[in-house]
Amino acid sequence: MPFKIIRQDISAMTCDAIVNAANSELREGGGVCGAIFAAAGREDLARVCAEQAPCPVGRAVATPGFALPAKYIIHAVGPVWQGGGRGEADLLAGAYRSALELADQLELASIAFPLLSSGIYGYPKAEALAIATETIRTYLQDHERMVYLVLFDKAAMAAGSARYKDIERYIDDHYIEKRARERRTESFEFLQTYDMNVVSQDAQEGPRVPGLTERLNDLDISFNEMLFRIIDAKDLDEVAVYKRANLDRKLFSKIRSNKNYRPSKATVLALAVAMKLDLEETRDLLDKAGFSLSRSHKFDVIVEYFILEGTYDIF
């Protein structure tokens, strides 16, 4: 997928460039900026930053990554929050766009952003997250690049969802480890009972069991066939589908050209969300790829929640 939102320390990211939440003077600051200076090497980074300063708000400049795992540091200057009436949103979006344009110029394959302006600059986290995701997803409509949005604190992770408490309640109601253990115990007891009875039934004549060749000749349609039948039936645009699914164009082309392609479960679910399938349709598509939704996995329960709510935003 070309865009992932993850929880991580951005200075530890292994990618072509990480983005620093910089000030206009490009001096070492606190928070993300301080962590990046410390990890890269303060003296080396301060020297090259001084040569490029000042950088206007809403713009970005690039320096080497020095001791970081990343090749480059792109210093993006976001706005200080002043209530929202002084063009902060445009300036914040501009900082992301400027950094992405630099990634184009440097021909980078991957770039990782922090949530710009959401620390000591005071930008409300939910609004900052909305601007970041919208700006990045718009950019990716016309570019092939791996983009990470790296969120360090739990508050930032929760900021984008008004349904956060609803999700927690849904998980509490449906993700029950005790019941999962009970099912495993029931399955084990069934297998024991089956093993005890199978010998006594072995001598009795019963209906003929189809052989392997017959079963292989009676296969259901493949995942590939099912996917493109749905796209045709719903009169969907293929390009719009893979973009909404946040899938790489090359991956989607591989799915289209190879009828035996075996997707990951995450890819199947991303496509189900992109095509706005209901829960039954989603289960059918998963089944064609050899997967199912499990009440024993939090990821599956969360996806199920959003499908039932009719919320089909992949991010």
Side-chain angles (χ1 to χ4, degrees):
M1 293 184 179
F3 180 28
K4 290 185 179 181
I5 301 175
I6 63 174
R7 189 178 184 190
Q8 177 62 282
D9 176 357
I10 195 167
S11 66
M13 289 292 293
T14 302
C15 52
D16 288 344
I18 64 168
V19 176
N20 177 29
N23 51 65
S24 292
E25 294 77 26
L26 303 183
R27 293 175 182 162
E28 181 177 358
V32 170
C33 185
I36 289 174
F37 267 78
R42 288 187 170 90
E43 290 185 6
D44 289 334
L45 189 51
R47 184 183 69 255
V48 296
C49 282
E51 294 170 358
Q52 299 212 47
C55 178
V57 177
R59 302 297 298 170
V61 298
T63 67
F66 295 107
L68 290 170
K71 297 176 187 177
Y72 295 94
I73 303 168
I74 296 178
H75 305 263
V77 183
V80 174
W81 176 254
Q82 300 181 66
R86 299 193 177 184
E88 294 99 315
D90 289 339
L91 289 168
L92 183 55
Y96 283 100
R97 282 194 298 270
S98 182
L100 290 165
E101 288 165 3
L102 276 174
D104 286 340
Q105 294 171 24
L106 295 168
E107 299 182 342
L108 306 181
S110 56
I111 181 172
F113 285 90
L115 193 59
L116 297 174
S117 288
S118 68
I120 59 173
Y121 279 13
Y123 214 107
K125 291 185 187 295
E127 294 180 34
L129 184 58
I131 290 170
T133 54
E134 183 60 31
T135 305
I136 293 168
R137 95 167 78 188
T138 299
Y139 165 84
L140 287 173
Q141 290 178 0
D142 300 310
H143 299 81
E144 292 290 339
R145 177 164 289 109
M146 184 67 233
V147 180
Y148 298 94
L149 184 59
V150 183
L151 309 180
F152 185 69
D153 60 288
K154 189 174 181 180
M157 289 293 289
S161 178
R163 290 189 172 90
Y164 189 66
K165 293 298 180 185
D166 289 338
I167 295 169
E168 287 187 329
R169 282 192 290 270
Y170 190 82
I171 290 172
D172 289 341
D173 290 341
H174 295 85
Y175 175 68
I176 305 171
E177 240 347 288
K178 179 181 176 182
R179 181 56 186 147
R181 287 195 296 269
E182 289 172 352
R183 286 175 182 146
R184 287 194 290 271
T185 301
E186 290 166 1
S187 297
F188 178 72
E189 290 172 350
F190 168 78
L191 288 173
Q192 283 187 313
T193 304
Y194 178 82
D195 287 341
M196 292 173 64
N197 293 335
V198 72
V199 175
S200 63
Q201 294 177 3
D202 195 46
Q204 300 176 13
E205 289 190 9
R208 188 181 70 83
V209 178
L212 179 59
T213 301
E214 291 175 86
R215 289 173 182 269
L216 290 174
N217 288 333
D218 193 34
L219 287 176
D220 203 347
I221 65 170
S222 68
F223 165 78
N224 176 291
E225 292 173 298
M226 179 76 160
L227 172 64
F228 290 102
R229 282 189 189 183
I230 293 172
I231 289 174
D232 290 341
K234 292 180 175 284
D235 196 24
L236 300 173
D237 178 73
E238 290 184 11
V239 175
V241 167
Y242 77 69
K243 286 184 176 179
R244 282 203 300 264
N246 196 28
L247 297 182
D248 185 276
R249 173 173 49 83
K250 294 176 183 177
L251 173 59
F252 192 78
S253 296
K254 187 183 293 185
I255 296 172
R256 172 170 261 301
S257 61
N258 183 1
K259 69 177 182 179
N260 295 316
Y261 179 79
R262 178 71 186 273
S264 69
K265 185 173 180 178
T267 295
V268 179
L269 288 172
L271 287 164
V273 169
M275 296 186 293
K276 299 186 178 181
L277 303 187
D278 61 28
L279 194 56
E280 183 178 353
E281 292 169 330
T282 299
R283 291 185 187 279
D284 285 344
L285 188 62
L286 280 166
D287 180 68
K288 295 299 180 288
F291 301 113
S292 63
L293 283 176
S294 170
R295 290 291 177 88
S296 299
H297 296 99
K298 273 189 178 178
F299 176 81
D300 290 14
V301 172
I302 292 169
V303 171
E304 181 181 281
Y305 166 83
F306 279 103
I307 290 173
L308 289 171
E309 288 285 305
T311 303
Y312 292 102
D313 185 335
I314 195 72
F315 299 111

